[in-house]
Amino acid sequence: MFCIVGLGLCDEKDITLRGLEAVKSASRVYLEAYTSILMIEKARLESFYGKEVIVADRDMVESEDGSNEILKNADKEDVCLLVVGDPFGATTHTDILIRARQLGIPTRVIHNASIMNAVGASGLQLYNFGQTISLVFFTETWKPDSFYDRIKENIDGGLHTLVLLDIKSDSFFFRGRKVYEPPRYMTVPQAVSQLLEIENMRREGVLDPDKTLAISMGRVGGFDQQRILAGPLCSLLRASPEDFGPPLHSLIIVGKRLHHLEVEYGELFAEDLGEAIAVAEEDGRNPELGQQGRKGGRELWRKVAHEAYGVALS
Amino acid sequence: MFCIVGLGLCDEKDITLRGLEAVKSASRVYLEAYTSILMIEKARLESFYGKEVIVADRDMVESEDGSNEILKNADKEDVCLLVVGDPFGATTHTDILIRARQLGIPTRVIHNASIMNAVGASGLQLYNFGQTISLVFFTETWKPDSFYDRIKENIDGGLHTLVLLDIKSDSFFFRGRKVYEPPRYMTVPQAVSQLLEIENMRREGVLDPDKTLAISMGRVGGFDQQRILAGPLCSLLRASPEDFGPPLHSLIIVGKRLHHLEVEYGELFAEDLGEAIAVAEEDGRNPELGQQGRKGGRELWRKVAHEAYGVALS
């Protein structure tokens, strides 16, 4: 049996009991390193599971030779591939499932939370989201902009857009050994700057730096490390890096069908951080904010939502 | 601390380790019965957790008196509310979080898989989904049809639509005690029939019984019970009830941007069930199907996808 196990959002405790059972009974356990390099370290998992975890990099999971190695003997014994989030978050995992089927190997998928549903932590309703987009690091010569059309479609329909930000984890060979560079994570200001760069080129009025609302989501499900910031695009561009918290981040471009209940959710923990940014945090650390928000954050968030999208306030 | 814990998709083993810790350390544990009545029984959870689980019906979670009872003393002790799927799957849960904040109670959310991301088990890519819709049971006099506009927006954009099907769990008072009727779950044929009824009224050509592809998702993440059926709407209308498996079901209306890789995923397990239905199942039970599909299911699914949406086949 070949089993892909979703590890969930943050650390070793986000695995499900069913997932843990699969890991414990497996003869070999692989950790998909490309998306999972961030928050869960191999050594920590190994000591937690009490067994060896083999790191599978992107080449391994995506190449035929590599995936054959992972799937070796999986018709006779149990092999697990661990992935951050849910197994269907990346096409790579679909490919290796197809490969297993082609080899006549039974497959199983153990689901978990991923940013695709945990984005609800923003207070925005999941059914008001349109299609999700991915934003890659621009280079001088490569600035793919098809995401702009996707955002436009969502904006035209009044819908929110979840923007997944690029992770780059380069590797090179040194003395015959593969060496990994530290991964680079796209920051929210970088993402906003790329979005506005394309708006400046295309000029179809999809994104307005001063009016379009956005929400930055950092380490969703990571409790003490979770950070949720809201404000117009320009305010997220100017905010201090510390305010966003540690990576990984995602960004939501808020749609114009924004409902007053969606605004209300963030209100009670809202905090004015100076750069016209409201914080709509959910982490249980600051219950005293529950009454009112801090430094006028509540009023600011209501005002911003009203001025941008005309959200009626009670 | 007030903590909402997502139970995931199916049974008591789908909780995360973090969620289980929260349950174990709580003074009171509530189970949200409206959405969770289906697959996880209170008694089974109680024996699994080794502690009492209090059933909270919809009235309790949604009313101020009821939610105050749940939140009682939660500023001093730990109270858990268990919900099926992810805590942000229903607005009800957002409401009780807001209520807790208003009372100055620290809150925490423990995420899990929900149909909103587990729908990837269909082989369709999550980023190709547009907005999600809910379909309620029609009555003679009440046939809300705003979902039709939402589907149209998705179809126009080439996007898939996840359709969540209604659950009805009526209760009444008998000799001063609340009595629950057995819950009714909308079946896929009922859902398809309602969709086509509105198409017949509105006649905007959004849904074509013979051409529009749909995928029925039954007990996603439920392993041996999971059933995934694909075909034109009319074939899902005519299929035998057993083919869909036990409730709960969801439905996907497949968008026209359907990619050949999305078709390929279902191919290898596809089985022709007679009513022009292909099965795109993922459960590890029938590895021998991996080579080819059964009874020409593979060819049928490819043909249907090609004829409906012109998906290019390799």
Side-chain angles (χ1 to χ4, degrees), chain A residues 11 13-15 17-18 21 94 101 107-108 112 114 117 131 153 223 257 265 269 281-282 284 290, chain B residues 11 13-15 17-18 21 94 101 107-108 112 114 117 131 153 223 257 265 269 282 284 290:
Chain A
D11 66 25
K13 287 190 180 169
D14 289 321
I15 197 170
L17 300 183
R18 193 182 299 285
E21 273 184 6
T94 317
R101 290 175 177 203
T107 60
R108 181 159 279 191
N112 210 321
S114 64
N117 69 340
Q131 54 204 314
E153 288 163 3
F223 294 130
R257 265 190 220 157
Y265 185 78
F269 277 71
E281 213 161 323
E282 158 67 56
Chain B
D11 66 24
K13 288 191 180 170
D14 289 321
I15 197 170
L17 300 183
R18 192 182 300 285
E21 274 184 7
T94 317
R101 291 176 176 203
T107 59
R108 181 159 278 192
N112 211 321
S114 64
N117 69 339
Q131 55 203 315
E153 288 162 3
F223 294 128
R257 267 192 218 155
Y265 185 79
F269 277 71
E282 158 67 54

Side-chain angles (χ1 to χ4, degrees), chain B residues 190-222:
Chain B
Q190 277 176 314
V192 171
S193 145
Q194 290 196 180
L195 293 173
L196 293 176
E197 188 177 343
I198 299 301
E199 174 62 47
N200 274 335
M201 277 170 45
R202 301 273 297 261
R203 293 191 180 280
E204 296 173 36
V206 172
L207 300 168
D208 180 327
D210 299 309
K211 289 252 174 177
T212 304
L213 291 185
I215 297 181
S216 160
M217 309 282 293
R219 296 230 168 158
V220 177

